[in-house]
């Protein structure tokens, strides 16, 4: 009995001495199942895992001590290790590599920077980083630069206009297959930046352009209570992220893009020991991209939900009456492109999609109106930033699409109409517009 106890003690000591005792490893160490790294405050854990099927093993990051396990990042998501004994190593140059049982390379971080004293560390943000030296804050490589299907606090979705590449979320293929799926969650920068979720190259739904606080279609009242969003937009690139307003209370929060293309934002409740869904998209039919076609507005509280904008009529009336709104709406009367045109103000709106828009963030709203009037193709204008009373100019041309009534606040947009749509306001508006010239 005594010999058996000594034997078990030796096994126990050998096993736990081999396992890393901190959130870091160096080139002299490696990681193999069931060994894990744990962030310093015990929030995240990293290691190898599988789904109990024949696909193989993955190296990933998950929330520690939360069941069921939530995987937030996978290194070798497209190439699982078929061996039962894969190993994660940090090379002396600062590269992370996953090797199979025979020593073949399954995955590599392919860092372009060379380290002198490389250290890999799992941070309490869920970011797995490689840095040069234990105390260094200079990251040579970080998992946050290679997002999967999860958007964590502190992470940035970004695009570098000069050097690239673009960072965005991609869904898993299935709940037990982390390989890249068909859906993407990204910032579209072809016009004024807007957040879109795509199915391949097709926009599935959008939460609209950035308005200074949030994306135009997001529920402002709910999100502003516990999250602070950041958006940087320069001539060099775009960067979007968020932080929790009280990190000591809301230490676990994430946005997930699921294999069906929907996004869900979660907060962990310590009291209930469960995840609360505080925001999801799409929530209704109006959120699907251009549900009502062009030159229309979608309002989920109306029956039917689609309505042509003032001055427009359904392009295909019979289809419209049968709730096929894909053809959208066309003008009853063409614009005159002179002093007779005017603008109708719509309030409480999620702005239309902006991939073909023009913007100038230095102009006032009055200057924006004047600029739109001078271009016969300009059909709508709005502030690009609604903070502090509004600033900046955002212009739309020709048809506009994906405009809806906002679920709580929304903002203003001004739609261009011909003289015939002025009604009793015509005389005063005509005088005001002539005064601009």
């Amino acid at each position: 009995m005594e010999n058996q106890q000594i034997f078990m003690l030796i096994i126990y000591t050998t096993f736990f001495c081999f396992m890393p005792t901190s959130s870091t490893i160096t080139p002299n160490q490696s990681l193999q199942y069931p060994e894990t790294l744990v962030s310093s405050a015990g929030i995240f854990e990293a290691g190898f895992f599988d789904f109990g099927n024949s696909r193989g093993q993955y190296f990933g990051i998950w929330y520690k001590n939360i069941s069921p396990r939530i995987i937030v990042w996978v290194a070798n998501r497209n190439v699982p290790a078929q061996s039962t004994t894969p190993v994660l190593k940090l090379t002396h140059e600062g590269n992370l590599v996953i090797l199979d049982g025979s020593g073949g390379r399954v995955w590599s971080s392919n860092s372009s920077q060379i380290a002198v004293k490389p250290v890999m560390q799992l941070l309490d943000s869920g970011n797995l980083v490689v840095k040069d030296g234990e105390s260094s804050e200079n990251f040579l490589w970080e998992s946050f630069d290679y997002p999967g299907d999860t958007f964590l606090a502190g992470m940035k979705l970004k695009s570098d206009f000069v050097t690239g590449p673009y960072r965005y979320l991609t869904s898993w293929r299935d709940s037990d297959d982390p390989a890249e799926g068909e859906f993407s969650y990204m910032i579209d920068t072809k016009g004024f930046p807007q957040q879109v979720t795509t199915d391949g190259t097709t926009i599935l739904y959008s939460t609209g352009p950035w308005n200074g606080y949030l994306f135009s279609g997001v529920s402002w009242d709910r999100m502003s209570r516990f999250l602070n969003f950041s958006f940087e937009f320069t001539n060099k690139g775009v960067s979007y992220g968020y932080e929790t307003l009280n990190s000591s209370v809301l230490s676990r929060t994430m946005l997930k893009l699921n294999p069906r293309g929907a996004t869900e934002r979660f907060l962990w409740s310590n009291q209930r020991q469960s995840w609360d869904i505080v925001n999801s998209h799409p929530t209704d039919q109006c959120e699907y991209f251009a549900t009502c076609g062009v030159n229309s507005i979608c309002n989920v509280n109306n029956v039917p939900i689609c309505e042509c904008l003032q001055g427009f009529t359904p392009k295909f009336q019979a289809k419209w009456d049968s709730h096929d709104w894909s053809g959208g709406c066309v003008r009853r009367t063409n614009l005159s492109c002179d002093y007779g045109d005017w603008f109708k103000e719509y309030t409480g709106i999620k702005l239309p999609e902006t991939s073909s828009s023009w913007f100038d963030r230095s102009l006032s709203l009055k200057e924006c109106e004047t600029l739109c009037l001078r271009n016969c193709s300009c059909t709508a204008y709005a502030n690009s930033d609604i903070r502090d009373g509004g600033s900046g100019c955002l212009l739309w041309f020709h048809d506009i699409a994906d405009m809806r009534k906002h679920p709580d606040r929304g903002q203003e947009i001004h739609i261009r109409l011909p003289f015939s749509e002025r009604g009793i306001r015509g005389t005063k508006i005509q005088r005001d517009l002539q005064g601009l010239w």
Side-chain angles (χ1 to χ4, degrees):
M1 184 64 177
E2 183 178 351
N3 291 338
Q4 184 179 4
Q5 289 176 334
I6 294 174
F7 176 77
M8 292 302 296
L9 179 62
I10 293 173
I11 294 296
Y12 180 90
T13 304
T14 302
F15 178 74
F16 282 95
C17 285
F18 181 68
M19 292 181 67
T21 57
S22 70
S23 60
T24 64
I25 66 170
T26 66
N28 297 321
Q29 298 171 299
S30 61
L31 208 65
Q32 183 176 341
Y33 181 84
E35 303 154 8
T36 62
L37 285 181
V38 178
S39 65
S40 59
I43 298 175
F44 286 96
E45 188 172 20
F48 285 98
F49 69 95
D50 61 44
F51 294 98
N53 52 36
S54 59
R55 285 200 179 96
Q57 291 203 16
Y58 302 89
F59 184 86
I61 301 170
W62 55 85
Y63 284 100
K64 184 173 175 58
N65 297 326
I66 289 181
S67 182
R69 178 184 288 178
I70 303 289
I71 305 295
V72 299
W73 185 78
V74 183
N76 56 323
R77 61 183 302 191
N78 292 312
V79 189
Q82 298 303 319
S83 167
T84 58
T85 56
V87 175
L88 177 78
K89 289 188 175 182
L90 176 65
T91 70
H92 289 278
E93 292 77 26
N95 268 314
L96 293 177
V97 294
I98 295 176
L99 306 175
D100 60 23
S102 61
R105 183 172 294 191
V106 175
W107 173 87
S108 172
S109 61
N110 289 325
S111 175
S112 59
Q113 301 187 60
I114 304 299
V116 178
K117 295 181 179 180
V119 175
M120 182 186 82
Q121 182 175 12
L122 179 61
L123 305 181
D124 283 317
S125 61
N127 194 9
L128 185 69
V129 303
V130 175
K131 53 188 184 179
D132 202 350
E134 185 77 34
S135 60
S136 174
E137 294 299 323
N138 179 30
F139 299 157
L140 306 179
W141 179 92
E142 53 185 310
S143 61
F144 272 11
D145 275 346
Y146 302 90
D149 70 331
T150 307
F151 192 12
L152 295 172
M155 183 184 288
K156 300 285 187 181
L157 301 184
K158 52 192 175 182
S159 178
D160 190 319
F161 298 154
V162 180
T163 62
Y166 189 31
R167 311 300 190 191
Y168 55 91
L169 302 186
T170 52
S171 65
W172 287 17
R173 287 184 186 170
D174 206 342
S175 58
D176 61 355
D177 185 356
E180 291 183 14
E182 55 189 301
F183 300 103
S184 300
Y185 175 97
M186 63 177 63
I187 310 303
D188 178 11
T189 59
K190 287 192 289 291
F192 191 73
Q194 61 181 344
Q195 189 281 312
V196 299
T197 298
T198 62
D199 181 355
T201 58
T202 302
I203 297 178
L204 183 65
Y205 60 92
S206 167
T207 54
W210 184 257
N211 62 22
Y213 292 111
L214 292 168
F215 291 107
S216 175
V218 174
S219 177
W220 304 358
D221 292 338
R222 196 168 196 181
M223 293 296 100
S224 61
R225 293 202 300 265
F226 52 85
L227 296 177
N228 180 43
F229 294 88
S230 64
F231 190 83
E232 298 178 15
F233 180 27
T234 69
N235 58 357
K236 294 183 179 180
V238 171
S239 176
Y240 165 62
Y242 72 95
E243 299 285 354
T244 55
L245 291 176
N246 190 338
S247 59
S248 63
V249 177
L250 302 174
S251 59
R252 295 170 175 85
T253 175
M254 62 181 173
L255 181 143
K256 279 276 189 181
L257 174 64
N258 70 32
R260 300 177 301 281
T263 59
E264 295 173 316
R265 190 177 293 278
F266 296 90
L267 284 178
W268 175 254
S269 170
N270 285 323
Q271 181 181 3
R272 288 183 295 277
Q273 289 292 293
S274 64
W275 291 101
D276 292 337
I277 299 178
V278 295
N279 186 261
S280 62
H281 295 280
T283 57
D284 55 56
Q285 194 173 354
C286 285
E287 287 214 2
Y288 287 98
F289 186 74
T291 292
C292 300
V294 298
N295 306 316
S296 61
I297 184 168
C298 191
N299 188 342
V300 72
N301 296 317
N302 286 350
V303 180
I305 61 173
C306 292
E307 180 182 3
C308 290
L309 297 172
Q310 180 175 328
F312 292 80
T313 189
K315 185 175 183 179
F316 305 110
Q317 188 67 56
K319 290 184 177 181
W320 189 273
D321 292 341
S322 64
H323 292 189
D324 178 356
W325 305 297
S326 58
C329 305
V330 294
R331 290 191 183 275
R332 281 195 291 260
T333 305
N334 290 332
L335 296 171
S336 58
C337 293
D338 58 20
Y339 306 135
D341 290 343
W342 64 288
F343 295 93
K344 175 178 173 58
E345 179 183 276
Y346 285 82
T347 60
I349 296 300
K350 173 213 160 186
L351 295 184
E353 72 96 10
T354 53
S355 61
S356 299
S357 64
W358 181 91
F359 60 92
D360 186 320
R361 290 181 287 171
S362 67
L363 297 180
S364 68
L365 194 64
K366 193 66 176 177
E367 292 171 321
C368 194
E369 179 187 41
T370 302
L371 201 61
C372 190
L373 279 172
R374 289 176 177 171
N375 188 325
C376 195
S377 299
C378 182
T379 50
Y381 73 91
N383 275 138
S384 59
D385 192 325
I386 64 173
R387 293 174 297 178
D388 303 322
S391 63
C393 176
L394 186 53
L395 301 181
W396 287 263
F397 300 90
H398 307 291
D399 294 328
I400 61 175
D402 201 40
M403 179 168 148
R404 71 165 295 176
K405 188 68 176 177
H406 198 280
D408 48 55
R409 293 194 191 182
Q411 58 195 94
E412 299 174 357
I413 186 172
H414 304 262
I415 306 295
R416 188 173 188 165
L417 294 172
F419 176 83
S420 60
E421 296 293 333
R422 285 181 180 176
I424 60 173
R425 300 176 59 206
T427 303
K428 180 179 185 302
I429 292 175
Q430 186 176 29
R431 288 198 304 266
D432 290 345
L433 293 180
Q434 286 175 332
L436 296 174
W437 298 82

